[in-house]
Amino acid sequence: MQSYEYDVKPKRSHGKRYAYFGGLLILLVIAALVVSIVALVRQENSENDNSSLRSPTPNPLPTTTINDHNSSPGSPTTTTTDNTVDSRSDSVVECAVNGAVRSPVTRNTCVNTDGCVWQSRSRNEKTPACIYKDRVGYVLDGDVTIGANTWTARLKKTGIDKVYGMNVYNNINVQVEMINENALRIYMYPDKLMNASEIPDEALTMDIPRKLSSDKLYNVSFTTEPVFGIVVERITNSTVKTKIIDTTVTGSIFSRQFMQLTTRLSSGHVYGFGEHNHRRFKHDMDWKTWPIFTRDVAPVDEWNLYGAHPVYLNLEEDGKANMVFLKNSHAMDVVLQPEPFPAISWKVIGGVLDFYVFLGPSPHEAVQQYISAIGKPLMPSYWSLGFHLCKWGYENLTVVQDVVERNKMAEIPQDVQWGDIDYMFNKFDFTVDKKTFKNLPDFVDELHQNGQRYVIIVDVGIGANETIIEQGRVNSPGYEMYKDGIDMDVFVKNHDGTVLKGEVWPGLTAFPDFSHTNATDYWIKYIKYFYDTEGVKVDGLWIDMNEPASFVQGSITGCLNNTWNYPPYVPHILDGHTGSLYYKTICMDSKQKWGNHYETHSLYGHAESMVTYRAMTTLFNTTRPFIMTRSSFAGTGKYSFKWLGDNQSQWRQIPWSIIGILEFSMFGFPMIGADICGFWYAAQYEMCLRWSQLGAFYPFARNHNAKGWPHQDPAHWDEAFTSIARRALHIRYKILPYLYTLFHLAHTTSSMVARPLVFEFPEDKQTRDVDRQFLLGPAFLVTPVLEKGKSSVEGYFPKQRWFNYYDGTEFAVSGQRITVDAPLSIIPLHLRGGYILPTQKPANTTVYSRQRPMGLIVAFDKDTSARGELFWDDGESIDSVTRGEYLKVEMSATKGKYLEYKVIKSGYKAASSLVIDTIELYGLFGFPERVIVDSVQIPTSSVRSKDKIIELVDLNLNITESHSLSWEFF
């Protein structure tokens, strides 16, 4: 190799070197020109081949449309031909390139795969380059059968024969059922002989009133060319229609272990899908892929988490909304496509495509319709709305006693103490370690005497190590949980019928099959054992690790190399690069009553919730069960509550928790919260304080952290911290009657407790991205500080009257972003004008707060009106409503000077001991000089001003009787 020396004085001539470089430069220019010409020719050819896929077809194509508009149930339907331009958009579908599930797709592998074509990605590099050709999918095979409310059609494939090495089904069937005026079902399935698995009715039955009227909110049509598609339009009026679903997109595929369908959307405003750690409530549609498959992993990155919720809400441009649920429990990918042609591609590895569409028309109504269909949520006991404390790593009972005592001495309200796996003998379910937690029964009895409760964790792994089992018999006589599981045949089986063994906290473990007919009796036996024999009068169960989780991959003997454990297409799940589905769980070919684990994996926690609910309501049949689950599916909220899992003590996790709470409120879990101050790592002072302020207004409020990290309960910190946390919790306890009423409405009408601003103000486009604030019900707005070192926070306040909770100050303007002061001692809270909130004087537990005087907060709207309601019962009976033993009150304020408290139902006699002592009025335009209560003027000393709040005090109004109030201004 020639070397060159550089100096200020050349040692030899450079002439030859210059000639050499000049020639080389000419050759490079010529080569570049040749390469550019070749590339341009190839690109032109490629773009010519793909022009029909990237833009609307310029020439009119005949499109056969079968339309149900203007047809009533049972009336004849006509078939017409629409000779308009093909309405397909730029929505595209990534091609299933054989052998390239995890490796990059090249032009060569693309064009050599049947049905695929390569396209330019000049506009958006995230857009897939390898997409399906125009006629890949299914076309009509015969006539459409039209019934009163149901249409059916048979389809035949077109375009491709194989996908990921599997045969594409020659035929599939489509059924569209118009269920009622705001709900329909789109059911796509292969011939029955294919034995495609479906979610058993026992696991989830859709409960939708089947009464179709002529005033339905939608129109359905079939498009038969160039591929078959279903189009659902919202009918706003006789001239305005909004296309909310359109499956006329190439690339529909059905095979045994891979199905794909793409639907165009009305807009790119999409919310939902889970369970993930979404960074924002409104989805980033720019070709994001979200895998859905239950998994034991902390909510840190954007991977698949504990639950499976294949459901989304699409907000239409005018503020109306539709919600779409795919009833399928298999692993799947959901691929989002951006504006201007928003779409969703479903990639599912088994079963059928069974969609339910709910048309609201408002976002909240669409959510209510969905939740009512999958199962209205469990009604919580009043005590569970109090503050909860837990820690993994309580070394012994003395430590737990110290935690409870120091928070009591600090006057921190605490209703519930929890026990993590520390209390167990060798982590065996339903046992008490007689060395470290010997006096646990006495401690729990003492909690009860103090008006507090105790909840324990229960994991799904049942200890199967015979040596440790023998030790367990000494610690806990009569404990035979593994042997009884064998005798009752309730364990998950290997492919060969033997009991599958994994490893969880007890070491070697077996896994109950909660879909088994004996599972409930098995669970009853050991809940009763813990309650009676171990002597712990537990108040609730926390069912954990139920994805199910295992510390070995598949089983202690591994898993077979078959297409269940290693499917041809693996969704983009965490560790999916291994090619398997069983990483950190059990083998997919293991057997359960509901089917093999490949089909039912994401239903495991759901099944455990069902069994635990049945067991608890059998053993304690007069009180509402408290069940907290980590894994969930659609409808699990009917049986249990939910928390957001093992988060981290980091600032970034605080805003993420709000998004998780809002999403699970959509999914039917009003009782939802995150571990306050974070689970993993050491909590920092300011972060934990700000999180404690926010967590005081989670629907479910629990401080919980992990083993090996310092305590973080409120009383662990200094007096300044404790005082601020106490103040936030006292506000929570004050508004518990309002919160409890919201939970009653959630239980009876499927309404949301925690709500995003966009669902309350859907026509206000500024709310569509707001996810750093949330409402409790319609009236109580929380705007927390989410960043370190901040003493103010910016929030969006829609065009309404908004009042500072603390002093009654009203914003001079609204409908814009406003910066509010937020010193470390304050979390900004605001009341929405137009609402009345029932309140109660707080105490250290709900047992005592429920005995204290009640009150009302009245926040007037621009018309000086307000409304509200109160539901009250004994707080724990499972059948108080069916027995009529409850109090229901409706309240209304009008014209800025009248207030009516009207008892609708007075069936709870014990409520007669309670009185309304104080009424706080926000937004009055003057000071009332003369106040009349039930025709009697109250003393002027009972009318006073506190900042901008007018207080009526010492009223002594029985809450079980109706009352009228009025006042005059002078």
Side-chain angles (χ1 to χ4, degrees):
M1 178 180 292
Q2 185 178 1
S3 63
Y4 296 94
E5 292 181 67
Y6 295 90
D7 204 321
V8 292
K9 294 181 178 180
K11 295 184 178 179
R12 56 178 179 267
S13 172
H14 288 180
K16 292 182 179 180
R17 180 150 42 99
Y18 293 151
Y20 170 82
F21 278 119
L24 180 61
L25 180 61
I26 292 171
L27 289 174
L28 288 173
V29 170
I30 294 171
L33 286 171
V34 171
V35 170
S36 298
I37 291 169
V38 172
L40 285 171
V41 170
R42 287 181 176 177
Q43 181 172 338
E44 181 178 352
N45 291 338
S46 175
E47 290 179 353
N48 287 338
D49 289 343
N50 293 292
S51 59
S52 64
L53 297 175
R54 293 182 289 106
S55 61
T57 305
N59 298 318
L61 291 174
T63 303
T64 303
T65 302
I66 303 171
N67 195 302
D68 81 326
H69 187 41
N70 296 326
S71 64
S72 59
S75 65
T77 305
T78 58
T79 302
T80 60
T81 300
D82 181 6
N83 291 313
T84 60
V85 175
D86 181 3
S87 62
R88 288 172 300 147
S89 71
D90 269 349
S91 299
V92 297
V93 179
E94 185 176 18
C95 203
V97 178
N98 293 322
V101 177
R102 291 288 168 183
S103 58
V105 177
T106 65
R107 180 190 293 268
N108 186 54
T109 57
C110 177
V111 298
N112 287 316
T113 300
D114 192 22
C116 301
V117 66
W118 190 264
Q119 71 160 4
S120 169
R121 294 189 296 182
S122 58
R123 285 186 296 173
N124 184 346
E125 284 300 313
K126 294 180 181 179
T127 305
C130 187
I131 63 174
Y132 280 108
K133 293 179 180 177
D134 196 39
R135 289 183 60 86
V136 173
Y138 287 83
V139 296
L140 198 61
D141 185 12
D143 297 328
V144 176
T145 301
I146 301 174
N149 302 326
T150 304
W151 296 358
T152 58
R154 184 169 174 81
L155 310 181
K156 60 183 178 182
K157 72 179 179 185
T158 180
I160 63 173
D161 295 319
K162 287 188 175 293
V163 60
Y164 297 123
M166 295 176 287
N167 291 329
V168 174
Y169 288 143
N170 291 324
N171 296 97
I172 63 167
N173 304 285
V174 176
Q175 176 179 302
V176 177
E177 180 185 0
M178 289 158 276
I179 302 173
N180 59 36
E181 67 274 8
N182 51 39
L184 69 150
R185 180 190 188 194
I186 301 171
Y187 180 44
M188 308 178 79
Y189 58 97
D191 291 339
K192 296 300 181 184
L193 58 87
M194 299 298 179
N195 295 317
S197 63
E198 300 187 46
I199 294 176
D201 288 342
E202 180 186 352
L204 178 62
T205 301
M206 301 297 285
D207 184 12
I208 308 175
R210 279 170 161 73
K211 185 179 180 182
L212 186 64
S213 72
S214 58
D215 297 326
K216 65 181 185 297
L217 303 180
Y218 55 89
N219 176 58
V220 181
S221 60
F222 291 161
T223 301
T224 59
E225 292 290 342
V227 291
F228 178 85
I230 300 168
V231 178
V232 181
E233 296 175 301
R234 178 187 298 282
I235 303 172
T236 300
N237 55 48
S238 59
T239 59
V240 178
K241 300 175 185 176
T242 303
K243 189 179 293 185
I244 61 173
I245 289 179
D246 180 2
T247 69
T248 314
V249 182
T250 189
S252 296
I253 297 171
F254 287 77
S255 67
R256 182 170 177 80
Q257 288 184 267
F258 182 80
M259 298 182 297
Q260 179 169 263
L261 183 74
T262 298
T263 64
R264 296 189 183 98
L265 306 174
S266 67
S267 78
H269 309 304
V270 174
Y271 309 84
F273 295 122
E275 180 177 4
H276 310 103
N277 187 23
H278 295 140
R279 302 300 198 262
R280 302 306 302 263
F281 183 50
K282 178 185 167 184
H283 275 289
D284 172 6
M285 298 291 287
D286 196 11
W287 295 101
K288 291 285 289 186
T289 296
W290 294 105
I292 299 177
F293 187 67
T294 61
R295 164 67 190 250
D296 167 24
V297 64
V300 177
D301 215 330
E302 296 181 331
W303 41 53
N304 52 303
L305 298 179
Y306 313 108
H309 295 274
V311 61
Y312 70 87
L313 183 140
N314 187 201
L315 184 71
E316 300 154 30
E317 290 296 348
D318 62 358
K320 296 182 178 64
N322 62 86
M323 200 158 181
V324 179
F325 168 57
L326 174 58
K327 188 183 177 187
N328 186 303
S329 59
H330 290 77
M332 66 182 75
D333 275 335
V334 176
V335 183
L336 308 180
Q337 297 189 34
E339 299 273 18
F341 306 105
I344 294 175
S345 293
W346 302 83
K347 299 182 177 183
V348 190
I349 65 170
V352 302
L353 297 185
D354 191 2
F355 294 99
Y356 289 82
V357 184
F358 305 92
L359 283 95
S362 72
H364 199 190
E365 287 171 313
V367 171
Q368 286 178 285
Q369 291 155 12
Y370 167 66
I371 295 174
S372 294
I374 61 173
K376 293 174 181 174
L378 183 65
M379 178 67 183
S381 294
Y382 199 94
W383 59 262
S384 67
L385 304 186
F387 182 57
H388 302 237
L389 274 181
C390 185
K391 179 177 173 59
W392 171 32
Y394 291 139
E395 297 88 349
N396 52 57
L397 183 59
T398 300
V399 176
V400 182
Q401 291 169 322
D402 290 344
V403 169
V404 172
E405 181 63 22
R406 71 173 174 240
N407 281 275
K408 178 181 178 182
M409 296 304 295
E411 297 183 334
I412 295 294
Q414 183 195 355
D415 266 83
V416 191
Q417 180 62 47
W418 290 52
D420 209 316
I421 56 177
D422 315 290
Y423 76 87
M424 301 177 182
F425 172 77
N426 200 67
K427 312 304 182 289
F428 275 37
D429 283 346
F430 301 115
T431 65
V432 174
D433 190 314
K434 299 307 190 303
K435 293 181 179 179
T436 55
F437 281 80
K438 178 180 179 181
N439 295 321
L440 183 60
D442 295 335
F443 171 69
V444 173
D445 290 345
E446 184 180 344
L447 288 177
H448 292 159
Q449 292 167 12
N450 294 331
Q452 295 172 299
R453 309 285 177 146
Y454 190 68
V455 173
I456 60 163
I457 195 170
V458 176
D459 291 330
V460 297
I462 305 303
N465 182 303
E466 289 293 347
T467 300
I468 302 175
I469 289 173
E470 187 60 38
Q471 296 169 359
R473 293 187 180 110
V474 176
N475 180 85
S476 301
Y479 182 83
E480 297 288 351
M481 202 163 186
Y482 176 68
K483 179 179 181 299
D484 286 341
I486 295 292
D487 293 343
M488 298 176 76
D489 195 31
V490 297
F491 290 135
V492 175
K493 304 296 195 301
N494 286 307
H495 65 94
D496 60 2
T498 58
V499 173
L500 183 144
K501 302 285 181 61
E503 288 186 11
V504 197
W505 295 115
L508 187 68
T509 56
F511 298 86
D513 172 9
F514 290 103
S515 66
H516 196 282
T517 51
N518 292 337
T520 300
D521 288 341
Y522 178 65
W523 224 228
I524 286 172
K525 177 173 182 178
Y526 280 93
I527 296 172
K528 191 174 188 301
Y529 174 88
F530 189 76
Y531 199 88
D532 292 341
T533 305
E534 295 289 74
V536 182
K537 310 305 182 188
V538 65
D539 298 288
L541 298 182
W542 170 21
I543 51 178
D544 196 17
M545 307 292 286
N546 53 351
E547 292 73 31
S550 180
F551 299 158
V552 296
Q553 315 317 325
S555 76
I556 59 172
T557 57
C559 301
L560 293 180
N561 187 356
N562 56 34
T563 60
W564 304 124
N565 295 311
Y566 297 90
Y569 177 84
V570 179
H572 290 69
I573 60 174
L574 181 61
D575 297 309
H577 66 278
T578 63
S580 79
L581 292 178
Y582 60 76
Y583 196 91
K584 212 174 179 183
T585 188
I586 62 178
C587 298
M588 294 295 117
D589 58 357
S590 58
K591 306 299 181 184
Q592 297 166 240
K593 177 179 176 291
W594 284 351
N596 64 31
H597 200 69
Y598 181 89
E599 301 159 353
T600 65
H601 170 81
S602 290
L603 294 173
Y604 191 90
H606 177 74
E608 185 188 13
S609 294
M610 295 176 67
V611 165
T612 306
Y613 177 86
R614 288 196 293 261
M616 293 286 279
T617 53
T618 298
L619 289 169
F620 314 106
N621 58 12
T622 62
T623 56
R624 299 168 206 158
F626 181 90
I627 303 164
M628 182 65 63
T629 184
R630 190 169 75 176
S631 185
S632 61
F633 190 74
T636 307
K638 182 178 179 180
Y639 309 101
S640 67
F641 310 125
K642 163 75 181 156
W643 98 106
L644 295 175
D646 301 340
N647 57 7
Q648 296 174 323
S649 296
Q650 299 172 341
W651 279 99
R652 64 176 186 163
Q653 290 267 349
I654 307 178
W656 296 349
S657 74
I658 297 174
I659 296 163
I661 285 167
L662 295 178
E663 288 181 335
F664 271 92
S665 296
M666 287 175 57
F667 299 158
F669 294 84
M671 187 70 158
I672 179 70
D675 284 346
I676 297 170
C677 296
F679 179 73
W680 291 111
Y681 309 135
Q684 301 303 307
Y685 186 97
E686 182 187 355
M687 183 217 67
C688 188
L689 183 50
R690 287 301 194 187
W691 206 332
S692 296
Q693 291 173 325
L694 168 61
F697 302 100
Y698 287 160
F700 167 61
R702 182 185 70 165
N703 182 307
H704 176 44
N705 73 316
K707 188 175 183 179
W709 303 104
H711 288 262
Q712 62 186 32
D713 55 276
H716 167 74
W717 307 88
D718 63 17
E719 174 54 34
F721 185 110
T722 303
S723 176
I724 295 168
R726 182 194 308 121
R727 184 185 191 190
L729 286 170
H730 278 176
I731 297 172
R732 177 189 181 86
Y733 274 66
K734 178 180 177 179
I735 65 168
L736 280 186
Y738 170 68
L739 197 59
Y740 188 63
T741 301
L742 291 176
F743 274 103
H744 167 71
L745 293 173
H747 175 63
T748 56
T749 71
S750 302
S751 63
M752 298 171 70
V753 173
R755 304 179 186 182
L757 280 171
V758 64
F759 286 11
E760 285 292 310
F761 302 93
E763 296 179 4
D764 184 344
K765 294 184 179 181
Q766 298 301 312
T767 65
R768 295 177 181 179
D769 296 306
V770 175
D771 54 18
R772 269 49 179 168
Q773 300 166 271
F774 65 96
L775 287 156
L776 290 177
F780 193 90
L781 180 62
V782 182
T783 308
V785 175
L786 304 171
E787 297 177 69
K788 183 177 181 180
K790 298 293 185 179
S791 58
S792 64
V793 62
E794 186 182 73
Y796 181 73
F797 297 85
K799 201 165 185 59
Q800 296 271 308
R801 295 186 78 187
W802 295 98
F803 304 98
N804 185 317
Y805 168 83
Y806 300 99
D807 62 14
T809 303
E810 180 181 1
F811 287 129
V813 293
S814 61
Q816 63 187 44
R817 299 194 69 82
I818 299 172
T819 298
V820 296
D821 289 336
L824 193 58
S825 60
I826 292 293
I827 176 172
L829 305 171
H830 291 86
L831 300 168
R832 178 182 174 187
Y835 292 92
I836 301 175
L837 287 66
T839 64
Q840 194 163 33
K841 190 174 182 180
N844 276 5
T845 75
T846 56
V847 167
Y848 300 109
S849 69
R850 282 177 55 89
Q851 301 172 33
R852 307 194 79 174
M854 301 189 74
L856 301 177
I857 291 176
V858 183
F860 290 97
D861 63 14
K862 62 182 178 61
D863 298 320
T864 57
S865 298
R867 67 186 187 279
E869 58 187 295
L870 168 66
F871 173 82
W872 198 255
D873 61 2
D874 65 7
E876 62 180 5
S877 291
I878 198 169
D879 57 353
S880 61
V881 173
T882 57
R883 289 188 287 110
E885 296 181 359
Y886 63 93
L887 171 71
K888 183 178 180 181
V889 178
E890 293 179 354
M891 299 163 285
S892 63
T894 56
K895 299 181 180 180
K897 59 180 181 179
Y898 300 105
L899 177 60
E900 291 291 330
Y901 177 94
K902 185 178 181 181
V903 175
I904 305 301
K905 171 72 175 179
S906 183
Y908 179 47
K909 295 180 180 179
S912 61
S913 64
L914 296 175
V915 297
I916 295 172
D917 188 61
T918 303
I919 297 177
E920 299 168 272
L921 306 174
Y922 288 68
L924 276 186
F925 296 115
F927 186 85
E929 300 290 344
R930 186 167 179 265
V931 179
I932 307 298
V933 178
D934 295 335
S935 302
V936 177
Q937 182 176 343
I938 64 173
T940 56
S941 60
S942 293
V943 184
R944 63 193 188 193
S945 176
K946 178 186 175 184
D947 299 316
K948 299 291 185 179
I949 306 167
I950 305 299
E951 294 182 329
L952 310 180
V953 300
D954 302 326
L955 297 176
N956 201 35
L957 304 178
N958 191 301
I959 71 165
T960 63
E961 300 172 0
S962 296
H963 303 282
S964 296
L965 293 83
S966 63
W967 46 86
E968 298 175 0
F969 304 98
F970 295 102

